[in-house]
Amino acid sequence: MTKRAFITGITGQDGSYLAELLLEKGYEVHGLVRRASTFTTGRINHIYQDPHAAGTRLFLHYGDLTDGQSLTNLVLDIEPDEIYNLGAQSHVRVSFDQPVYTFQATGGGALNVLEAARQLNKKKVVRVYQASSSEMYGEVLETPQTEKTPFQPQSPYACAKVFAFHQTVNYRKSYDMFAVNGILFNHESPRRGETFVTRKITRAATRIKLGLQKKLYLGNLAAKRDWGYAKDYVEGMWRMLQHNEPDDFVLATGRTQTVQEFADLVFAQLGLNPQDHIEVDPRYFRPAEVDLLLGDCAKAKEKLGWTATTPLEGLAKLMVDHDLKLAHEEAILASARK
């Protein structure tokens, strides 16, 4: 029997990779999409628009995480076997500017998903994955961080994620639901949004290489992060929902680098000197900074057989190669306009 999955945030980085993975495994995949005046399906068009591909098992539904009743109606109509809640207002810096909306979408949205799943669970067993974040550790109390490390959130986004984490545990215990938290450390890819620091760096560096811009403005260059490849991490999400018992897991590489070190790596791959092009702009500093994140995925390795397989150097190359093609296309268009 074909399994059916429901993904919120399907048009995002993780959602697109997860949709590909589940379709490859034979799932019927349903995704939640917010209505907009422009198309937002760019990351999944290659599977959604191709009638000869797995897109024939991919279905998109308009909705919003903040609309709990409509979300419940949709879940009861689809009757998925698995729900992956990846949708959120996920930009940490933006969460300081939009704290209420961030809580409504990231925290309240997760609660709406859990409540919808609880209603469906009265009819059939449904397994729920909640996308938690290493940002919850905030001003870390121990290094490396594990599933037992206390949370010290340092942003409205992180606070909303902590709320969603505890609600997931609460629903698991209170209603005997199969609900899990994946505490994922930073994971990047060529599909990462261009306002996130790794993609901002690779996009700018490749444009600088081709003379399309001169400077890259960044915030805290000393911030340390544990960076992995998003495609590896969605495999971990899926494994959590195949596990015998619902539990919470950290997914991480166990290696940390500063923003400066990542930028150095990217610029070196392009034969550029970062000191010639990078400037610090105070506008990009957070009101409360998270200085160090480093995850320990020993539990996921032991119980799920999961480890990160893509080193940071390889990830940076994937992103640089992708963005260099974009920069070349941009250069050709710029030349044609002259």
Side-chain angles (χ1 to χ4, degrees):
M1 183 177 177
T2 301
K3 279 190 174 183
R4 188 177 299 133
F6 177 57
I7 305 172
T8 72
I10 194 171
T11 59
Q13 169 189 254
D14 292 5
S16 65
Y17 282 120
L18 180 61
E20 287 177 343
L21 175 72
L22 295 179
L23 289 168
E24 289 170 3
K25 292 182 179 296
Y27 281 66
E28 176 182 304
V29 176
H30 294 256
L32 187 70
V33 180
R34 281 181 298 170
R35 182 70 177 89
S37 59
T38 56
F39 291 111
T40 60
T41 57
R43 293 182 178 96
I44 57 172
N45 279 343
H46 62 291
I47 50 177
Y48 184 61
Q49 294 182 345
D50 183 357
H52 303 293
T56 54
R57 286 181 283 109
L58 176 62
F59 305 91
L60 302 182
H61 308 267
Y62 285 123
D64 196 295
L65 283 171
T66 62
D67 186 348
Q69 186 58 60
S70 293
L71 188 63
T72 294
N73 293 342
L74 183 59
V75 167
L76 291 176
D77 184 47
I78 296 171
E79 293 193 359
D81 301 290
E82 298 171 4
I83 297 175
Y84 296 85
N85 183 34
L86 312 184
Q89 190 303 98
S90 60
H91 198 286
V92 177
R93 182 61 189 83
V94 170
S95 76
F96 286 98
D97 300 323
Q98 295 185 298
V100 175
Y101 173 70
T102 297
F103 174 77
Q104 291 171 339
T106 306
L111 182 56
N112 287 336
V113 169
L114 288 164
E115 184 58 22
R118 184 177 75 87
Q119 297 299 328
L120 176 59
N121 216 49
K122 296 175 182 179
K123 299 173 59 178
K124 61 175 287 186
V125 175
V126 58
R127 299 189 171 201
V128 183
Y129 171 86
Q130 167 60 28
S132 291
S133 169
S134 59
E135 285 287 333
M136 299 188 304
Y137 294 118
E139 192 174 14
V140 298
L141 297 178
E142 65 179 9
T143 300
Q145 294 87 53
T146 73
E147 293 82 2
K148 295 181 179 180
T149 303
F151 301 137
Q152 289 273 92
Q154 292 286 96
S155 67
Y157 167 77
C159 289
K161 281 293 187 182
V162 170
F163 172 86
F165 176 94
H166 287 301
Q167 288 290 3
T168 301
V169 174
N170 178 43
Y171 270 67
R172 181 167 72 216
K173 293 181 177 180
S174 300
Y175 304 114
D176 194 27
M177 288 174 56
F178 195 108
V180 308
N181 286 290
I183 308 173
L184 273 57
F185 281 66
N186 295 66
H187 45 289
E188 320 298 316
S189 77
R191 299 180 191 175
R192 189 61 144 149
E194 293 184 18
T195 60
F196 290 86
V197 68
T198 53
R199 186 77 196 288
K200 183 177 179 180
I201 290 169
T202 59
R203 193 76 172 92
T206 52
R207 296 186 82 251
I208 289 170
K209 178 69 175 179
L210 297 187
L212 296 171
Q213 73 181 68
K214 295 181 179 180
K215 294 290 183 179
L216 166 61
Y217 297 94
L218 297 172
N220 183 7
L221 297 176
K224 294 182 178 180
R225 295 293 184 268
D226 182 328
W227 279 303
Y229 182 25
K231 194 170 183 178
D232 292 343
Y233 284 52
V234 299
E235 170 76 23
M237 298 177 189
W238 176 77
R239 292 193 184 198
M240 289 181 209
L241 291 196
Q242 313 316 307
H243 192 49
N244 294 332
E245 299 291 336
D247 205 348
D248 306 319
F249 295 92
V250 163
L251 298 187
T253 69
R255 175 184 174 189
T256 189
Q257 275 90 15
T258 65
V259 172
Q260 180 69 68
E261 287 169 339
F262 181 82
D264 291 345
L265 177 61
V266 168
F267 276 77
Q269 290 185 355
L270 291 164
L272 298 171
N273 183 353
Q275 294 181 350
D276 295 336
H277 304 286
I278 295 177
E279 291 188 13
V280 173
D281 188 334
R283 291 179 300 170
Y284 296 117
F285 280 84
R286 302 177 185 177
E289 188 58 72
V290 174
D291 296 318
L292 168 65
L293 293 175
L294 175 63
D296 181 350
C297 69
K299 182 178 175 181
K301 183 177 182 179
E302 176 189 352
K303 294 191 174 184
L304 305 178
W306 182 91
T307 57
T309 60
T310 306
L312 187 62
E313 293 78 8
L315 172 59
K317 187 176 188 307
L318 283 172
M319 296 175 69
V320 166
D321 289 348
H322 176 272
D323 285 345
L324 195 56
K325 290 180 182 178
L326 290 183
H328 275 296
E329 292 171 1
E330 189 177 351
I332 290 171
L333 287 174
S335 178
R337 294 192 191 101
K338 293 180 181 179

